[in-house]
Amino acid sequence: MKRKPVAPPAPNERELTGPRYWRSLDELADTPGFREHVEREFPEGASTLEGVDRRQFFKLMAASFALGGLGLAGCRRPESYILPYSKSVEGLVPGLPLYFATAFPLRKTALPLLAETHQGRPTKLEGNPSYQPYGGASSLMAQASVLELYDPDRATTHTKNGSALDAAGLNDLLASVGKKHAADGGAGLAFLAAESSSPTRARLVARLRQKFPKAIWSEYEPVQDEPPLEAALTAFGAPVRPVYRFFNAKRIVSLDCDFLAAEAGNLLYSREFARLRRVRSKSDEMNRLYVAESGFTLTGSMADHRLRLASSHIFALAAALAARITGDQSYAKYAQGLEVDPKWLDACAADLLAHKSESLVVAGAHQPAAVHILAYAINDALGNIGETLDFLIIKPPPVASIGDLAAAIKAGTVKTLLVLDGNPAYNAPADLDFPALLKSVPEVIRYGYYVDETSQLAGAHIAAAHYLESWGDARTINGTVLPIQPMILPLFGGVTEIEVLARIAGEEAVDPYALVFATVTQLAGEPDAQAAFAKFLHDGFLHDSDFEKIPVELDRVRAERLFAAMSAPVALSKGNLEVRFAADYKVDDGRFINNGWLQECPDPITRLTWDNAILISPRLAKELGVDPPSLVVKVARRELADFQKGRENAFVGEVTIGARTVRGPLQIQPGLSNYTIVLPLGYGRADGAVGRVGTGSGFNAYAVRTVEAPHFVTGATLTVVAGARALLANTQEHWSMEGRDLIREANLEEYRQHPDFVRAIGLEAHSPPIYGEEGAKLSPAERATEGPAVRGNSLYVTPTFKGPQQWGMSIDLNVCTGCNACVVACQAENNIPIVGKDQVSRGREMHWIRIDRYYSSGSTDNNDIPEDPQASVQPLPCMQCELAPCEMVCPVNATVHDDDGLNAMAYNRCIGTRYCANNCPYKVRRFNYFDWNKRSIGHFYEGPLGPDGMPELVKMAKNPDVTVRMRGVMEKCTYCVQRIEAAKIQHKVKAAQAGNPADIIVPDGAIRTACQQACPVEAIIFGDILDPNTAVSKLKAQERDYGLLAYLNTRPRTTYLGKIRNPNPAMPDYAALPLSRVELRNKMGPAEEGEGNREPTTSGDHAALPSAAKLGGLS
Amino acid sequence: MAHLEEALAEKPAILNEIAPADLPRVPLVANNRSFAWITEKVCGIAEGRTPVWWWWCFGVACFVASFTVCGLIYLVSTGVGVWGHRSPINWGWPIVNFVFWIGIGHAGTLISAILCLLRQKWRTSINRAAEAMTIFAVVCAGIFPVFHVGRVWYAWFLFPLPNSNWIWPQFRSPLEWDVFAVSTYGTVSVLFWYTGMIPDLATLRDRAKVKWRQIFYGVLAMGWRNSSRHWSNYEMAYLILAGIATPLVLSVHTIVSFDFAVSLIPGWHTTIFPPYFVAGAIFSGFGMVLTLMLPLRAVYKLEDLITQYHIDCMCKITLATGSMVGYAYMMEFFIAWYGANPNEGFTFINRAFGPYAWAYWIMISCNVITPQLFWFKKVRHNIPLVWILSLFVNVGMWFERFVIICTSLTRDFLPSSWGYISPTITDIFTFFGTFGVFSVLFLLFIRFLPIMPMAELKAVTPQADPHAGHGEHH
């Protein structure tokens, strides 16, 4: 998709500017007065007009135009203006998107991206496939970040003391900071910045240090996503970053480490983890994941053995494991008081020892350094270092902490404080009382994307540019340098952080492009700087710029000091709870709170949208008396929450830690350590300090966080607020599969005995073969095109699929982590609207692909809420059924099949009977109950009397290749038909140019659906099922391939690969059958498995499998 | 003739011996009323001064009907979201209401057509009002499927109109069948109703003293002159229409039931639906006829025309169809168990004991238990009680549709999508308002049109019998 690099001849000045004309003698003379006049669009003071801000002005103007239009619109065409390119963008073909490499920076890492731009406006971000380690994957947040660019609530002006500042004024302000502190070496100057991986910023910070040696440079991130540097410094005496190499790790132990979703580098880790998870044949190896954790994370949900353990007990667990692995019994003393079945530890340790140099023990970033050192020691003993664990030298410059800065402010030495990004007034530890500190600093300058709590306390606010408007650079977890390229001019004149720093430092070059150019060409060290830089921008990364790998040696003596400082595990109870502060899976530390796509994306574990909740274990809920009411007769498993009229009506609780209290809705979360409560961070923003989307969402867990215990703390209490209830928008009310055959699972041993286990599970195992006796023997390709004879002799005339290519999809349930990247990628690609909390709570969310999450406990007691469940996830796009139940019931023929086997939707024809959605057994059709695109969230019920919805700015984020649907029509996944068609056209053009117009077969892999493209673990594969050599055909030929609810004879084109678990038979919590299968057996009887259409060659001896009655539950 | 009479007058001797009990046929018009009395009585309702209660009822009915109007204006201007639908339950109250009203619309044509063909003469005193009820119920029913669509302004896509894109409706869709079934049914019902009314309209025309009445009824009577030829043509036309309408009575609700039976949702996908729906529709239709006729009978003192015998007959039909419906409920459970499809089995257990158990048990008590009281003569003869029971039947039948539609949709195949639907105030008001629409139309009907077929009533009086006065001797 990308263009080949063409080093353009450097344009001369005349070419750049065209013939030069001047409007006045002032311009010719270029006087400062004239410059100011040009900079200002309006006369001085115009934009600060009392009482009327910009937005209101436009509203008034729009209203008067509309009124004017009422009388006159009939007489003439509406006036509109186009701005043609006087010089076209290189390579631009009108109507076709252009792709540019850029990167999404987040804390100390970044993701390489390709940005899709339409006529100069970025609409969709995709992973950069050229960067091998990430392989074109992208994350949920990266996918959603394009919406932030068009956020109408972002800071749109630079301000000083409440009045607007133009570009020149801003430059003066920044220059004055530098000048003011130049004399005293920066003694009164302090910076509080967010973490960054940018080499240019590092270079500029070094320059600042040179110039202002006494200035304080502090960095603060509320969320820790990297192992603490202290651990590396103590253990090895070197500033190194551990990077895990999961693709070699056959046995993995996670000590409270959510490496699949929350740790820096999680995208890389997910991809590599999936490599040994992806089982394609009986002989394939599969990794085994042990997880000990307090909360329930995505990593925990993938575990083969999961131990619920308080975060504060993890150190003891690590010590116990270290003692067993290293044989050094001196570790055992730190494990005293640990209440874990020794058999668990013994079996786990034995398994690790059996896989020396191909195992890996990882500790959560939030865990203290001592735990990390224990993990390093274990890995060292197992010979993993250098095999599955690399240490990269990162040479970080010295950085002060926010605590140091606070002390300096208290001491009164800080005269000028620059807060660069972050939002300390909101998320700094509560005991620092940062808002008060900010007020005490004489001059606070804030650089930020939003006018938030911190900006409100600052004298000046500098509007930041979005990364898609900026020149910059960043590094991946491996250290590879990535370019950040602007796709568009700053929409509101925002500036980049490096420009701000350069101006303060008084650099000669302040242009961000020049700054990045200088950094990168220096790093590249190539003789031809221009060419090197062009290649860097084209490839989207700098070759051979990784951090250096170094050998390390563990220093036991220094480590011992840290160990000794750790306290023994404290017994937890209802009166002494542990609180775990965790970054939210969607809004992170709160930085994405105003992003509607993320807010409306269901939390992968709790399935909540638009809010956070105090997560409590089922046992704690019972002790507090907040478990949901129990019906007299239960026909299904008891709900996790009190659903009233289909909306979650949550109890409200108050968490008290020391003298601080926070109040929020309670949510029961199976799988939590009994007395650990989880407080997701990032919500509960002050009114007026956040945009419209983030207003009123959740509670602020930062209010109870201290410097001492930023990640977890014990000694908390939780009280239930009597009588109070809160509405939560939960997208999945029911948590149990109810013993149905939806996600088909087996353990690895069973899979090896019966690779076709999926076919022996469920109703198709008993129903007549869906494709008839004949059809059962055919390949998917033949089934798709053969006539009705192989179609079970259905009475209905079945579609004949005449297209040369037949589209299908395969989803591997074994590697899907449920990260939600596909959900938001689909939202961005297909212009899917958001509907707001109220409408989500009414069950009207619009996602075309959703991820169902089920818990299984192995029990069928309807009164039981599992404390220790197994989780399974299932992404659900449209199945594109060959015999689509939705099509035959649509009275107006609005949903029909096309020749390529797509279940297409003609929006123009749809009148909205919603019969199709009723008859869809997968419930993947979504209805536009209101004009989501035209009306504002929260005003849907006001109809035409309500305010108009989407600001012009947000419309710019829409994909021009996809219709924006109006109210009253049904919509659904189309396998990204716009991408299919674009690829077909492109291929036809190419083939015709190559003199081969008959070639109309788009090669495999040329079309990637948005969900497939985003998926970091490549769980979703799309392609042509007619060709047996495509990736999708090969997967569909797998014995693990099954269709969801296929006994309905829907013949879904999207099929699943069954899930395989790999438990260790030596473990005390070993279950010989996945718990969902135990439930299936209990409910349907053992006859549900083993007979039916299974091929005779493999029809198995199921007596070998223990019966449900013999299976022990988990501990 | 005299000879014959004499011969017949001679009783066989055996009769004196065994002395058979005298079992006279129950007269269909009581108290030996004359033709003139019947004309006066029926025409008097349309011709007399408008009663005060009528104005009050009309005012209230208009007010209630405005709820529907306002509800629909709000709906169309704002979006279907103003109703309580949500993702798994895309049909909620509107379709419940549609099936409810269309079911009510069944009794009228059944009474007029099937009972006509079966020569059940007791139908005469109630058929006109029942047919009117049918038409008005179809009007109310028609509102919902039309307005429940997302883009009502494109509802004409449902009709097979030629267009340049050559797009036709989907003829495999039960909703498309509905379009034809309901519109045919509505058309035939109107024709049938109107045809039956022509002789009576002529009577009203002839009796009219005011100009506008003469014109109004004159136009409607279509030049009826009471000639033998007219009567001959009329009776043949009526018979043919009865023949056409009879299969429609069965087909409409069969097709409405296909909306559900043809889908694959557990709880919908059952072959029992067509007969079960037809029985239910007749059940609810008779419930509604009783609900309407009993007050009408009391207000206009029509006891001689709508006799206890009529009420007994209607109660018995209610009992029979109610029992059929009860049988169908049992059969659904049996088949769900016998079919051994776990999804199907769950749906029925969920219906009876799940979150909507309350609705299910309302349905069972109203539809299965209530009509069983009609086994007792004392109950059938207690008019206020019959009226109250008929209300229960109406409530029960609404809940039947609610249970079928909502419990099946709320918990189908994938537990992840399970939900719960509850109505919004707009749902409730729009439905409530249709009772106003119905009442407005019905009040206009009783005010301006002959509410009973006078000509046919006269034909079933004792006087009309050429053997009048001799019957008791035979």
Side-chain angles (χ1 to χ4, degrees), chain A residues 744-761:
Chain A
R744 301 186 188 171
E745 303 179 296
N747 285 347
L748 188 60
E749 308 99 275
E750 189 194 350
Y751 168 68
R752 287 191 171 142
Q753 285 173 31
H754 307 295
D756 62 342
F757 71 93
V758 292
R759 287 173 205 171
I761 300 174

Side-chain angles (χ1 to χ4, degrees), chain A residues 740 842-844 850 852 888-891 893 908 910-915 918-919 923 929 941 967 1047, chain B residues 74 76 81 83 85-87 90-91 148 150-151 168 170 173 259 263-265 343 346 412-413 416-417:
Chain A
R740 297 183 181 181
R842 291 170 198 269
R844 292 170 179 174
R850 65 168 194 269
D852 287 348
M888 60 156 279
V889 298
C890 173
N893 250 334
N908 284 345
C910 178
I911 63 170
T913 65
R914 305 187 294 288
Y915 199 174
N918 281 343
N919 209 28
K923 294 290 172 269
Y929 281 99
Y941 288 92
R967 80 170 154 102
Y1047 83 95
Chain B
Y74 181 40
V76 174
W83 282 341
H85 303 79
R86 48 172 298 170
S87 174
N90 285 284
W91 284 352
H148 99 288
R151 304 198 295 171
W168 290 98
Q170 165 66 277
S173 168
D259 285 350
S263 83
L264 47 62
I265 301 299
N343 295 333
F346 173 80
D412 66 346
F413 297 101
S416 66
S417 303

Side-chain angles (χ1 to χ4, degrees), chain B residues 364-382:
Chain B
I364 291 287
S365 28
C366 292
N367 290 356
V368 183
I369 300 169
T370 308
Q372 298 307 318
L373 292 172
F374 289 141
W375 285 106
F376 305 105
K377 194 172 184 182
K378 272 192 178 163
V379 174
R380 297 198 303 269
H381 283 240
N382 184 339

Side-chain angles (χ1 to χ4, degrees), chain A residues 633 635-636 639 645-646 731-734 736-738 740 742 763 796-797 841-844 850 852 854 876 885 887-893 907-915 917-923 926-927 929-930 940-944 966-969 1044-1045 1047-1048 1050 1084, chain B residues 74-91 148-155 157-158 163 167-170 172-176 258-260 262-265 268 340-343 346 349-350 353-355 409 411-420 422 424:
Chain A
V633 186
V635 298
E639 305 296 352
K645 297 182 175 177
T731 55
Q732 187 179 341
E733 289 176 23
H734 201 70
S736 167
M737 234 181 311
E738 292 294 331
R740 297 183 181 181
L742 311 176
L763 288 169
Y796 274 119
V797 178
S841 75
R842 291 170 198 269
R844 292 170 179 174
R850 65 168 194 269
D852 287 348
Y854 294 109
L876 233 95
E887 286 172 13
M888 60 156 279
V889 298
C890 173
V892 294
N893 250 334
Y907 301 123
N908 284 345
R909 179 73 181 169
C910 178
I911 63 170
T913 65
R914 305 187 294 288
Y915 199 174
N918 281 343
N919 209 28
C920 171
Y922 310 100
K923 294 290 172 269
R926 302 293 188 189
F927 187 67
Y929 281 99
F930 291 107
F940 292 129
Y941 288 92
E942 293 159 32
M966 77 173 296
R967 80 170 154 102
V969 300
L1044 184 61
L1045 300 176
Y1047 83 95
L1048 294 171
T1050 50
M1084 312 291 169
Chain B
Y74 181 40
L75 176 89
V76 174
S77 64
T78 304
V80 182
V82 301
W83 282 341
H85 303 79
R86 48 172 298 170
S87 174
I89 315 110
N90 285 284
W91 284 352
H148 99 288
V149 304
R151 304 198 295 171
V152 66
W153 49 96
Y154 287 131
F157 284 178
L158 287 163
N163 57 63
I167 303 174
W168 290 98
Q170 165 66 277
R172 284 192 295 169
S173 168
L175 275 188
E176 189 61 25
F258 284 166
D259 285 350
F260 310 105
V262 168
S263 83
L264 47 62
I265 301 299
W268 281 13
N341 180 329
N343 295 333
F346 173 80
I349 292 170
N350 181 52
F353 304 109
L409 285 175
R411 292 185 159 189
D412 66 346
F413 297 101
L414 303 186
S416 66
S417 303
W418 287 1
Y420 189 93
S422 51
T424 60

Side-chain angles (χ1 to χ4, degrees), chain A residues 488-503:
Chain A
I488 189 169
L489 270 178
L491 291 167
F492 297 105
V495 293
T496 61
E497 193 186 44
I498 49 177
E499 182 178 349
V500 170
L501 292 176
R503 284 190 188 278

Side-chain angles (χ1 to χ4, degrees), chain A residues 938-1013:
Chain A
H939 297 275
F940 292 129
Y941 288 92
E942 293 159 32
L945 302 178
D948 267 3
M950 188 170 301
E952 285 296 318
L953 194 59
V954 182
K955 289 181 188 166
M956 289 175 71
K958 299 281 182 201
N959 181 356
D961 296 337
V962 179
T963 322
V964 175
R965 283 78 55 184
M966 77 173 296
R967 80 170 154 102
V969 300
M970 193 59 74
E971 58 184 65
K972 63 175 270 291
C973 158
T974 59
Y975 277 167
C976 289
V977 64
Q978 66 281 4
R979 291 186 173 209
I980 297 177
E981 294 307 315
K984 277 188 192 170
I985 294 168
Q986 212 173 19
H987 181 74
K988 277 181 192 167
V989 170
K990 229 185 258 173
Q993 281 170 353
N996 187 15
D999 174 21
I1000 49 169
I1001 303 295
V1002 182
D1004 190 31
I1007 308 169
R1008 287 158 72 85
T1009 61
C1011 51
Q1012 172 188 18
Q1013 195 160 32

